């Protein structure tokens, strides 16, 4: 069946993941004559509740701090979880019980519970309200298996949470030692699959970077040939100029660099995603009244593109799985880091041109402000593009291919048109109220179901490695204290710098324009 095991680690990853799973629920059909467009079994597992009723739950592991789960419950299995084992001797002495007040459900969750059919009626009136979102679970529409929730102990307020690479790796080691998650929970999900195609990982680099590295290393030890697709969510220091003396930002940037280098060996495909604080407002956000400081808003936009770009892995009409997707994007076998890009909402009618291309925003690339203004032009090597909407006529493959082939002569392009994006009521109400002249109400309403998302490999990855390598070099040259704070030795940072420059050269192409910057920086090396 080519099932997928999903892993989400970190608060922002779970904000995105919640939108992702709410969308997956939208693909279910309930009429006898309705044929689903996706293979539900690839993402969901079928089981029985404690009452013996059939149910579908995501094949998912959720890692986060205990306090971040909010009011999330496993009500489908509550009776089994709460029942005491038979034959256990009970304590007969005095007991003083201290019970923490449960987190109240959100208004959206309450409306879901009160709906007679299990589905909220209407659309906008019952949508989740941004002001009421406290946790990522506040707008969740699916039930999870008890083995999905992996609740890590909360940390003290005085402890650092971002950029602690060594501490994050140790956190996984301690959690694995105590819970044996690889032997118990991972194996549970893997062994119930008929033909697992791989794992899809979504993780916060700043807080769960080392944790994810340790998890994937352990997973790779158990399943060395299993394909994996990873979406590392970079920190807010990934797209700004960082110097070694800026300790907090330097820690986060080095942590990001360590994450990406690690995924070069532990993941089949890695798609780094820039932090929303680095997004540049422009025409790509036309049609959205989005709050870029809101995790609820930005995670919805990212979830739309991640869900759409990976839809071929679940779509019945698609031949792709994680292994074949990797082969298409990485034909040379040396470029396993890809970019995520897209346009949402997509105009009802669009003619492909160079101007239209400018509205496709690269969510993985660094901004020009961080890199040399004389950086070489981008060369795109491979691209899988997914368009969503009722009518495929606006997406004429021949026209698109001709335009992109002119821009990128060596490009390998694959284009898929998929059904409309099933926007759930849990989605933010961030669609602009105003519309272009001549746009009718129906077209404006349908806009939230149209999207264009793509995964690609290109030379745009090189500037990211160059910036990280420059920071690593500066840390070595100045013997910066931040190296010790991250938990590294200077020799390890020097090795990191060399690896990053090697990756930069690999993606930059034969011209090697970025080598000049390395040679200038190396003049100061000890």
């Amino acid at each position: 069946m080519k099932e997928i095991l999903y892993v989400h680690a970190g608060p922002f990853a779970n904000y995105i993941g919640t939108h992702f799973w709410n969308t997956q629920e939208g693909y279910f059909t309930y009429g006898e004559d309705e044929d689903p467009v996706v293979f539900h079994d690839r993402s969901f597992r079928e089981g029985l509740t404690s009452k013996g009723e059939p149910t579908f739950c995501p094949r998912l592991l959720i890692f986060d701090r205990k306090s971040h789960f909010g009011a999330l419950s496993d009500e489908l299995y509550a009776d089994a979880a709460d029942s005491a084992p038979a034959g256990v001797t009970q304590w007969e002495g005095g007991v003083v019980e201290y019970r923490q007040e449960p987190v109240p459900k959100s208004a959206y969750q309450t409306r879901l519970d009160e709906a007679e059919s299990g589905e909220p009626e209407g659309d906008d009136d019952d949508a989740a309200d941004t002001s009421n979102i406290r946790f990522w679970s506040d707008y969740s529409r699916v039930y999870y298996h008890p083995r999905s929730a992996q609740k890590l102990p909360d940390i003290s307020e005085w402890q650092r949470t971002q950029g602690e690479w060594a501490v994050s790796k140790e956190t996984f080691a301690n959690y694995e030692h105590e819970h044996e998650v690889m032997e118990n929970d991972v194996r549970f999900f893997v062994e119930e699959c008929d033909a697992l195609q791989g794992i899809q990982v979504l993780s916060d680099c700043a807080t769960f970077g080392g944790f994810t590295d340790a998890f994937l290393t352990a997973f790779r030890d158990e399943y060395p040939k299993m394909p994996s697709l990873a979406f590392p969510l970079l920190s807010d220091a990934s797209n700004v100029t960082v110097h070694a003396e800026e300790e907090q930002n330097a820690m986060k940037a080095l942590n990001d660099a360590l994450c990406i280098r690690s995924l070069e060996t532990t993941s089949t495909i890695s798609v780094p995603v820039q932090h929303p604080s680095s997004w540049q407002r422009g025409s790509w956000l036309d049609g959205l009244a989005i709050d870029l400081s809101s995790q609820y808003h930005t995670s919805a936009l990212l979830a739309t593109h991640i869900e759409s770009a990976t839809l071929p892995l679940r779509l019945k009409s698609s031949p792709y799985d994680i292994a074949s997707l990797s082969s298409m994007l990485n034909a040379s076998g040396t470029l396993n880091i890809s970019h995520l890009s897209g346009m949402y909402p997509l105009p009802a009618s669009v003619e492909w041109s160079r101007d239209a291309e400018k509205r496709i925003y690269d969510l993985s690339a660094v901004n020009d402000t961080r890199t040399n203004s004389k950086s070489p032009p981008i060369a795109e090597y491979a691209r899988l593009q997914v368009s969503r909407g009722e009518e495929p006529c606006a997406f004429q493959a021949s026209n698109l291919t001709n335009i992109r082939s002119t821009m990128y002569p060596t490009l390998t392009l694959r284009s898929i048109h998929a059904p409309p994006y099933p926007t759930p009521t849990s989605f933010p109400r961030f669609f602009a109220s105003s519309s272009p002249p001549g746009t009718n109400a129906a077209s404006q309403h349908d806009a939230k179901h149209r999207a264009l998302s793509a995964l690609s490999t290109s030379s745009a990855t090189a500037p990211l490695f160059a910036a990280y390598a420059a920071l690593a070099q500066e840390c070595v040259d100045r013997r910066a204290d931040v190296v010790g704070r991250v938990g590294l030795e200077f020799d390890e940072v020097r090795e990191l710098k060399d690896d990053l420059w090697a990756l930069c050269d690999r993606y930059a192409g034969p011209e090697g324009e970025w080598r000049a910057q390395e040679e200038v920086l190396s003049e100061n090396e000890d």
Side-chain angles (χ1 to χ4, degrees), residues 13 37 41 53 143 163 192 201 247 249 290 332 387 415 432 464 471:
V37 298
D41 291 344
E53 300 172 346
Y143 286 106
E192 69 178 4
V201 181
E247 185 173 284
N249 279 341
I290 187 172
S332 66
S387 57
S415 185
L464 181 65
L471 174 62

Side-chain angles (χ1 to χ4, degrees), residues 423-442:
T423 312
T425 58
S426 58
F427 218 67
R429 291 176 285 185
F430 57 16
F431 297 95
S433 57
S434 60
S435 58
T439 302
N440 57 45

Side-chain angles (χ1 to χ4, degrees), residues 466 469 473 497-498 500-502 504-505 513-525:
Q473 180 64 61
K497 180 264 300 182
D498 293 338
L500 291 170
W501 278 122
C504 178
D505 286 348
E513 294 89 347
W514 295 99
R515 265 295 171 187
Q517 186 176 356
E518 179 194 11
E519 292 171 359
V520 173
L521 292 168
S522 299
E523 292 178 358
N524 297 321
E525 186 172 0

Side-chain angles (χ1 to χ4, degrees), residues 4-198:
I4 303 173
L5 172 61
Y6 295 84
V7 179
H8 300 163
F12 191 46
N14 284 308
Y15 265 87
I16 298 173
T18 302
H19 285 298
F20 178 91
W21 289 108
N22 290 348
T23 303
Q24 300 312 299
E25 188 209 35
Y27 291 113
F28 280 99
T29 55
Y30 302 96
E32 294 182 359
D33 299 331
E34 294 181 281
D35 185 29
V37 298
V38 301
F39 291 106
H40 295 302
D41 291 344
R42 291 192 178 182
S43 298
F44 288 85
R45 60 175 302 277
E46 185 175 3
L48 297 175
T49 69
S50 59
K51 299 178 181 179
E53 300 172 346
T55 180
F56 279 90
C57 294
R59 189 177 297 103
L60 167 68
L61 292 172
I62 307 172
F63 294 97
D64 208 342
R65 298 294 177 182
K66 184 177 181 180
S67 60
H68 293 166
F69 281 80
L72 184 71
S73 66
D74 52 352
E75 293 178 5
L76 291 175
Y77 299 87
D79 294 341
D82 294 340
S83 60
V88 177
T89 302
Q90 300 294 322
W91 169 256
E92 297 180 355
V95 176
V96 178
E97 183 176 286
Y98 297 92
R99 179 169 297 190
Q100 185 180 17
E101 288 293 326
V103 177
K105 288 188 175 183
S106 66
Y108 180 72
Q109 290 282 348
T110 302
R111 288 197 296 271
L112 287 179
D113 292 342
E114 293 175 349
E116 293 182 358
S117 64
E119 293 288 335
E121 298 296 330
D123 190 3
D124 294 335
D125 292 340
D126 292 312
D129 186 356
T130 305
S131 61
N132 294 329
I133 299 301
R134 307 156 301 169
F135 311 99
W136 48 262
S137 60
D138 282 350
Y139 54 94
S140 176
R141 295 175 55 89
V142 300
Y143 286 106
Y144 299 101
H145 190 276
R147 290 184 182 270
S148 288
Q150 305 291 329
K151 299 180 181 181
L152 277 64
D154 291 320
I155 61 176
S156 303
E157 294 182 359
W158 53 266
Q159 289 181 288
R160 289 178 182 262
T161 59
Q162 298 190 353
E164 298 278 0
W165 177 259
V167 172
S168 184
K169 288 173 69 72
E170 184 181 354
T171 299
F172 175 79
N174 294 337
Y175 189 81
E176 169 65 13
H177 177 74
E178 182 176 352
H179 298 276
E180 295 185 335
V181 64
M182 300 302 300
E183 179 64 27
N184 296 327
D185 303 309
V186 172
R187 189 173 296 279
F188 169 80
F189 285 117
V190 170
E191 291 188 349
E192 69 178 4
C193 297
D194 293 330
L196 186 69
Q197 66 168 283

Side-chain angles (χ1 to χ4, degrees), residues 241-251 254 470-483 490:
T241 302
V242 178
H243 297 289
E245 63 270 15
E246 303 171 33
E247 185 173 284
Q248 188 58 45
N249 279 341
M251 286 181 66
L254 285 175
L471 174 62
Q473 180 64 61
E474 184 181 349
C475 289
V476 172
D477 291 341
R478 300 189 178 187
R479 312 294 291 181
D481 294 337
V482 67
V483 172
F490 284 102

